[in-house]
């Protein structure tokens, strides 16, 4: 069967140019290409930033084929290459020769329930539970059924190790080596007074046997805001939100030189090379 490459891209001009180049090159090499996921899709290419990859994975319902990210966005923590023609040729050759590695990213499985109904969501980075309309969130938290705290503050982030470098890090959480399968609970502006007592630092749990339950306390408002990998949803009269590690994982295709801590150094500390980036973005 002829293999298909599914290509998702944001609307940036550079992304659209790259998409055209990738389509031409893959079709010349005997593949079909499409925007939708097909049963013969063997790879999903995401062109854009990390946000584009997170959206593509959600929209395609976390398929069981590898993703490959090309960064035309700002940070590009998930990306393997920049929009440079030589890098694209190297990637296509490596893919055809099967000369690559695949990283498995654990997903969070989130069950959101009210008195009568429950719905399931998945996250690559994190679940954020916040108060509606900037009100203080009051959230009872349990781990494996054991009461831990009643959090009061802006909200709680439950992050995977993949998401540890995203919102979790900005909120003061720790960067976690992505070989560790954990769930990190990071408070956003916790209140710690005589009136309300909350943990003020992150809590890290082993992902394989931990289930985190959050029960919102309704004081002024019965609405809560959940943000899953950046996508906002408001819910009314939720009884509980249960989060655990899912059985399925998302696959990321890695070229030979991927190393997590080097990626952290390059993306967080190394001085950004504007000239080099501009040169690479000048693809015809
Ligand atoms: P977004 O604009 O798509 O992303 C915000 C920033 O987070 C972007 O620079 C993005 O990279 C980067 N990012 C995403 N996942 C990352 C990861 N695993 N490691 C390191 N950086 C990562 O924002 P959005 O659409 O609202 O939400 C998408 C994600 O952004 C969320 O899952 C959340 O983690 C993160 N976020 C962060 C903050 C914060 O730091 N205060 C606030 C809201 C959301 P690109 O530039 O390559 O897209």
């Amino acid at each position: 069967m002829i293999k298909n490459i599914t290509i998702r891209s944001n609307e940036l001009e550079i992304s659209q140019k790259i998409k055209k180049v990738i389509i031409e090159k893959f079709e010349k090499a005997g593949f079909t290409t499409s925007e939708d996921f097909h049963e013969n899709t063997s790879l999903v290419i995401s062109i854009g930033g990390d946000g584009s990859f997170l959206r593509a994975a959600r929209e395609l319902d976390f398929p069981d084929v590898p993703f490959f990210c090309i960064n035309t966005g700002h940070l590009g923590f998930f990306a393997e290459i920049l929009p440079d023609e030589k890098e694209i040729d190297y990637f296509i050759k490596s893919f055809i020769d099967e000369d690559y590695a695949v990283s498995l990213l654990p997903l969070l499985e989130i069950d959101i329930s009210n008195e009568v109904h429950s719905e399931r969501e998945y996250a690559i980075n994190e679940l954020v539970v916040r108060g509606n309309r900037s009100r203080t969130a009051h959230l009872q938290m349990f781990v494996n059924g054991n009461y831990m705290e009643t959090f009061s503050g802006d909200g709680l982030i439950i992050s995977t190790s993949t998401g540890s470098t995203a919102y979790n890090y900005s909120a003061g959480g720790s960067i976690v080596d992505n070989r560790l399968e954990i769930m990190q609970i990071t408070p956003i502006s916790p209140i710690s007074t005589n009136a309300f007592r909350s943990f003020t630092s992150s809590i890290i749990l082993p992902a394989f046997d931990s289930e985190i339950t959050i029960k919102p306390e309704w004081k002024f408002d019965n609405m809560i805001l959940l943000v899953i990998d950046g996508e906002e949803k408001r819910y009314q009269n939720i009884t509980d939100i249960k989060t655990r590690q899912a059985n399925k994982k998302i696959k990321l295709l890695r070229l030979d030189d991927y190393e997590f801590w080097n990626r952290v150094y390059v993306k967080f500390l190394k001085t950004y090379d504007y000239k080099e980036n501009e040169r690479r973005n000048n693809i015809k």
Side-chain angles (χ1 to χ4, degrees), residues 71-127:
N71 180 29
T72 61
H74 294 112
L75 185 71
F77 197 78
F78 294 110
E80 282 297 280
I81 61 170
L82 288 167
D84 173 274
E85 194 144 5
K86 275 200 201 116
E87 293 192 26
I88 291 171
D89 287 338
Y90 173 63
F91 147 58
I92 294 177
K93 184 173 180 323
S94 305
F95 179 67
I96 291 171
D97 295 348
E98 297 183 13
D99 182 16
Y100 56 79
V102 173
S103 295
L104 296 175
L105 313 187
L107 295 170
L108 294 180
E109 180 176 88
I110 305 153
D111 288 335
I112 306 149
S113 308
N114 62 23
E115 294 288 353
V116 287
H117 168 83
S118 181
E119 72 179 59
R120 181 162 285 180
E121 292 280 347
Y122 292 93
I124 296 174
N125 272 348
E126 78 284 286
L127 160 73

Side-chain angles (χ1 to χ4, degrees), residues 48-52 54-55 71 73-78 125-126 162-171 227-231 268:
D50 296 326
S52 306
L54 295 171
R55 267 188 300 282
N71 180 29
H74 294 112
L75 185 71
F77 197 78
F78 294 110
N125 272 348
E126 78 284 286
T162 306
S164 69
T165 46
Y167 194 6
N168 168 73
Y169 180 61
S170 307
V227 194
I228 298 172
D229 287 348
E231 195 178 303
F268 285 76

Side-chain angles (χ1 to χ4, degrees), residues 18 31 63 71 77 86 121 131 199 219 232 240 270 279:
I18 291 298
F31 292 82
N71 180 29
F77 197 78
K86 275 200 201 116
E121 292 280 347
F199 286 121
K219 287 191 188 290
E232 282 194 0
D240 55 68
K270 195 178 168 195
R279 184 190 67 71

Side-chain angles (χ1 to χ4, degrees), residues 95-282:
F95 179 67
I96 291 171
D97 295 348
E98 297 183 13
D99 182 16
Y100 56 79
V102 173
S103 295
L104 296 175
L105 313 187
L107 295 170
L108 294 180
E109 180 176 88
I110 305 153
D111 288 335
I112 306 149
S113 308
N114 62 23
E115 294 288 353
V116 287
H117 168 83
S118 181
E119 72 179 59
R120 181 162 285 180
E121 292 280 347
Y122 292 93
I124 296 174
N125 272 348
E126 78 284 286
L127 160 73
V128 185
V129 185
R130 305 189 73 112
N132 188 33
R133 295 169 187 268
S134 308
R135 303 294 309 242
T136 305
H138 300 278
L139 308 169
Q140 291 178 15
M141 189 174 76
F142 302 78
V143 174
N144 293 338
N146 298 306
Y147 175 76
M148 271 185 90
E149 67 164 340
T150 298
F151 168 87
S152 296
D154 283 1
L156 287 172
I157 301 170
I158 301 177
S159 137
T160 57
S161 16
T162 306
S164 69
T165 46
Y167 194 6
N168 168 73
Y169 180 61
S170 307
S174 296
I175 296 181
V176 177
D177 191 308
N178 67 353
R179 289 167 296 185
L180 297 175
E181 298 199 352
I182 57 93
M183 291 190 287
Q184 180 167 190
I185 306 168
T186 296
I188 313 170
S189 304
I191 304 180
S192 200
T193 63
N194 281 344
F196 301 116
R197 289 272 167 88
S198 315
F199 286 121
T200 55
S201 68
S202 296
I203 294 165
I204 296 185
L205 303 166
F208 76 97
D209 73 344
S210 301
E211 181 181 74
I212 302 160
T213 303
I214 291 177
K215 294 178 188 273
E217 283 186 357
W218 306 121
K219 287 191 188 290
F220 309 105
D221 190 347
N222 59 359
M223 189 84 96
I224 197 109
L225 173 63
L226 302 190
V227 194
I228 298 172
D229 287 348
E231 195 178 303
E232 282 194 0
K233 277 189 167 184
R234 286 186 162 74
Y235 291 87
Q236 221 161 358
N237 293 322
I238 290 299
T239 49
D240 55 68
I241 304 146
K242 289 188 191 299
T243 306
R244 60 191 85 83
Q245 181 164 295
N247 286 329
K248 58 179 174 179
K249 296 193 174 172
I250 202 94
K251 295 175 177 164
L252 266 187
L253 193 149
R254 304 292 195 188
L255 299 178
D256 40 12
D257 54 354
Y258 176 80
E259 203 276 321
F260 175 75
W261 288 104
N262 176 257
R263 180 68 55 98
V264 172
Y265 167 69
V266 169
K267 296 295 177 181
F268 285 76
L269 298 178
K270 195 178 168 195
T271 309
Y272 188 71
D273 189 342
Y274 287 94
K275 280 206 173 125
E276 172 65 1
N277 213 38
E278 217 160 72
R279 184 190 67 71
R280 285 158 180 250
N281 281 347
N282 272 339

